[in-house]
Amino acid sequence: MSETASKSNQQIARAAGTVMVAFVLSQIAGLVRQILVTRAFGTTGVMDSFNSASIFPNLLFNLLAGGALASAFVPTFTGFLVKDDHPSAWKLASAIVNLIVLALASLSFISSLFAPQIARLLAPRYLPAQQLLTAQLLRILLITSTIFGVSGLLSGILNSHQRFWLPSLASAIYWVGIIIGLLFFVPSMGIFGLAWGVVLGACLHLCIQLPDLFRLPDRRYTLTLGKGNPSVWEVVVLMGPRLISVATLQINFVVTGIIASLLPTGSLSSINFAFPIMTVPLVVIGSGIGIATLPTFSAQVALGEMGELRKSLTSALRSVMFLALPATLGLILLRRPLIAFLFQRGNFNSLSTEMTAWALLCYTVGLVFHSLLEILVRAFFSLRDTKTPAFVSAAAMGLNIIFSILFVLWFNRIGWMPLGGLALAMSLSTAIETTTLFLLLRKRLHGIQAAQLAEGTGAAALATLAMSVAIIIWLQVMRNYPAALITLGGTVIGAALYGLVLVLLRVPELHLLFNAIQRRLSK
């Protein structure tokens, strides 16, 4: 490996480590939030209303300022930075943030006027009182769309400057805001207290990033909408295709919510409790490494270092496989005691545990593909190609809708809980999307270091097999013990055995990790 590639991989590794530590803290805070939510509301109709109301604000944010904007803005902004053209970079950032505020604030206000109609669209089978509650919650949650729009753009700016700690920590602070709402607002305000906790969390998500923003060099804000600025138009053009895929994904969430609202009571809440559990390792692994790779990938492309890009991409994919494979099998095997340990109290009963565990199983089978997808799409974005992942995503999400309907009908017919069909549909469509993008990217880059990737995947699979056998034996021996002991013991045993096998296989990534820890401790 060349010295340049080694430095790039070390840069990605340091950034990924920072992001992953912050995301671990975020997921811990998120689990605390989830425990408090399940204790207060369980899988009741009130919680279904809150989850339905959350769909539309998320739709607005993700369409205008979520993945679509990040995929277009970061490569363009980074391109100015690597060429030391800071004035152009900040003119671009100023114009984009002004446009985002104007668009999201206007759409949120208009949407609040039509909240009852939107609520009926999102949950057509709810009774009138439940639809009214959904509309009232929707008006509160719409406030967060504009706040998250600005905060998401700040994260992109800071990541482009190789600043990852506070943007990644923002997610944990967001959960803290919701926890405050659960502890102090909910007792007197009920479900509305949870909604205002979300608003507080969004404000904290934005504010925590401001100290890093104010420390950036040559920072300058301009009151402009970017008229006549070609870089703004470039972002808009790059954003267009990605907007298609994001829109398709959000439509899928809407369709999933509508289908779940037609299923037995608690189905929507169960899949909304299961999905965040699956995303704990996804966020830490896939998103953590993915966020760290995009600035480095973008800089390599801007400098014409395509060979270095191939090496960095292979290294990132190997890292994902080493972490995602054991997380997938561990979560599948320990899903029931884990959910019982975390949630089974108050209004969350044993039936809630079974429903959530079933949804979690069907979601988790796609965890590896979700994680790899985070890296692959960012490689395309760094190449200024948002069309390919957009069209592939749109096709995959179209399949997801078809799979959702077919699997729900099939599961219902054979006596399985139909909510699992919604989760399995997403896993299958994501697997197809990831495989397609991998093959297209390999062709685009004239090959990826397949031998190294296969070697790493084989080592991870062998270690995961040993880990899984140990966890299965542990579950049999401890089946009559408390869920907390089963979960924690199984996690420790599985992780220890997985690490031991990797040490015996002399995996290079472990050597790099140990060296990094030694350097950190010696400082």
Side-chain angles (χ1 to χ4, degrees):
M1 181 181 296
S2 67
E3 182 179 353
T4 303
S6 178
K7 289 182 179 179
S8 296
N9 291 343
Q10 290 174 10
Q11 184 180 56
I12 291 174
R14 285 194 299 269
T18 300
V19 174
M20 291 170 73
V21 169
F23 279 176
V24 167
L25 296 176
S26 172
Q27 296 311 304
I28 292 172
L31 284 176
V32 172
R33 184 267 318 181
Q34 197 80 321
I35 290 170
L36 294 175
V37 168
T38 54
R39 185 177 67 180
F41 302 107
T43 53
T44 60
V46 170
M47 196 65 216
D48 282 347
S49 288
F50 178 85
N51 288 322
S52 294
S54 301
I55 294 174
F56 192 75
N58 291 336
L59 174 65
L60 282 184
F61 163 70
N62 283 292
L63 282 179
L64 295 180
L69 178 59
S71 65
F73 173 76
V74 172
T76 307
F77 187 77
T78 302
F80 286 125
L81 294 182
V82 297
K83 297 173 183 176
D84 290 326
D85 189 358
H86 291 272
S88 296
W90 285 106
K91 287 179 182 178
L92 170 64
S94 298
I96 295 298
V97 73
N98 293 334
L99 289 169
I100 287 298
V101 170
L102 182 62
L104 283 175
S106 300
L107 288 174
S108 296
F109 175 74
I110 295 171
S111 299
S112 68
L113 299 179
F114 293 94
Q117 291 82 1
I118 296 173
R120 285 195 292 270
L121 175 64
L122 294 174
R125 291 289 296 272
Y126 285 174
L127 296 175
Q130 193 173 4
Q131 286 186 346
L132 176 61
L133 175 61
T134 303
Q136 292 171 330
L137 292 169
L138 173 60
R139 288 194 173 104
I140 298 172
L141 294 173
L142 280 168
I143 299 171
T144 64
S145 296
T146 305
I147 300 171
F148 275 128
V150 177
S151 187
L153 187 63
L154 291 188
S155 296
I157 292 172
L158 294 175
N159 290 164
S160 297
H161 285 85
Q162 295 294 323
R163 294 175 182 262
F164 295 96
W165 175 244
L166 290 184
S168 302
L169 193 62
S171 297
I173 303 302
Y174 167 63
W175 297 130
V176 169
I178 297 179
I179 291 171
I180 291 173
L182 285 162
L183 294 177
F184 298 102
F185 302 165
V186 166
S188 60
M189 302 172 65
I191 194 67
F192 293 102
L194 178 57
W196 284 111
V198 172
V199 175
L200 174 61
C203 293
L204 295 177
H205 189 282
L206 171 63
C207 293
I208 190 63
Q209 300 183 75
L210 295 180
D212 255 3
L213 176 68
F214 294 147
R215 285 193 289 264
L216 292 180
D218 302 316
R219 169 184 46 83
R220 184 177 181 182
Y221 169 76
T222 306
L223 191 61
T224 176
L225 295 180
K227 184 178 180 180
N229 188 336
S231 62
V232 174
W233 179 247
E234 181 181 358
V235 170
V236 173
V237 171
L238 289 172
M239 185 176 170
R242 176 60 176 165
L243 189 62
I244 296 173
S245 63
V246 172
T248 307
L249 177 61
Q250 294 305 309
I251 290 171
N252 268 266
F253 283 129
V254 172
V255 171
T256 298
I258 292 173
I259 294 175
S261 72
L262 304 176
L263 301 178
T265 299
S267 294
L268 179 57
S269 295
S270 294
I271 63 175
N272 278 314
F273 287 141
F275 188 71
I277 297 175
M278 187 274 287
T279 60
V280 169
L282 171 60
V283 168
V284 173
I285 299 167
S287 298
I289 298 175
I291 288 173
T293 60
L294 181 55
T296 300
F297 287 173
S298 299
Q300 288 170 334
V301 172
L303 296 173
E305 299 173 345
M306 304 307 294
E308 308 306 326
L309 174 62
R310 284 192 290 270
K311 294 173 183 177
S312 296
L313 175 62
T314 302
S315 177
L317 294 175
R318 276 176 59 105
S319 298
V320 167
M321 293 303 298
F322 277 117
L323 296 171
L325 271 178
T328 297
L329 270 295
L331 195 53
I332 287 175
L333 293 173
L334 295 170
R335 66 189 185 279
R336 281 195 181 87
L338 172 65
I339 292 170
F341 166 49
L342 293 175
F343 302 143
Q344 193 169 315
R345 58 186 65 83
N347 288 318
F348 198 97
N349 54 30
S350 58
L351 176 60
S352 301
T353 296
E354 287 302 313
M355 293 174 68
T356 305
W358 177 235
L360 179 58
L361 169 63
C362 296
Y363 272 132
T364 306
V365 294
L367 174 58
V368 171
F369 295 101
H370 279 288
S371 300
L372 292 172
L373 186 62
E374 294 285 332
I375 310 301
L376 296 173
V377 294
R378 284 172 171 84
F380 276 104
F381 297 159
S382 69
L383 293 166
R384 307 289 181 93
D385 179 3
T386 54
K387 292 182 181 180
T388 300
F391 293 144
V392 173
S393 176
M397 292 303 100
L399 287 175
N400 183 48
I401 294 176
I402 297 173
F403 291 156
S404 295
I405 297 172
L406 293 178
F407 287 171
V408 165
L409 294 174
W410 177 41
F411 280 26
N412 195 49
R413 183 175 181 178
I414 62 179
W416 292 355
M417 286 183 282
L419 62 91
L422 296 173
L424 186 60
M426 176 171 284
S427 295
L428 179 57
S429 61
T430 301
I432 294 173
E433 179 183 3
T434 302
T435 303
T436 303
L437 284 179
F438 176 80
L439 295 175
L440 291 174
L441 186 60
R442 185 178 65 176
K443 182 178 180 181
R444 175 75 174 271
L445 296 178
H446 305 292
I448 296 175
Q449 296 176 316
Q452 292 187 22
L453 183 58
E455 180 187 5
T457 302
L462 182 60
T464 299
L465 177 62
M467 178 203 77
S468 300
V469 171
I471 292 177
I472 291 172
I473 295 173
W474 171 261
L475 289 172
Q476 291 297 316
V477 172
M478 304 295 291
R479 60 180 177 269
N480 295 322
Y481 285 80
L485 180 59
I486 296 174
T487 303
L488 297 176
T491 302
V492 171
I493 291 173
L497 186 56
Y498 181 78
L500 177 61
V501 174
L502 291 186
V503 170
L504 294 175
L505 293 175
R506 297 183 178 181
V507 172
E509 280 78 3
L510 281 181
H511 180 68
L512 293 174
L513 175 62
F514 292 149
N515 286 342
I517 294 174
Q518 284 181 334
R519 287 195 301 268
R520 177 69 64 178
L521 293 177
S522 63
K523 291 182 178 180

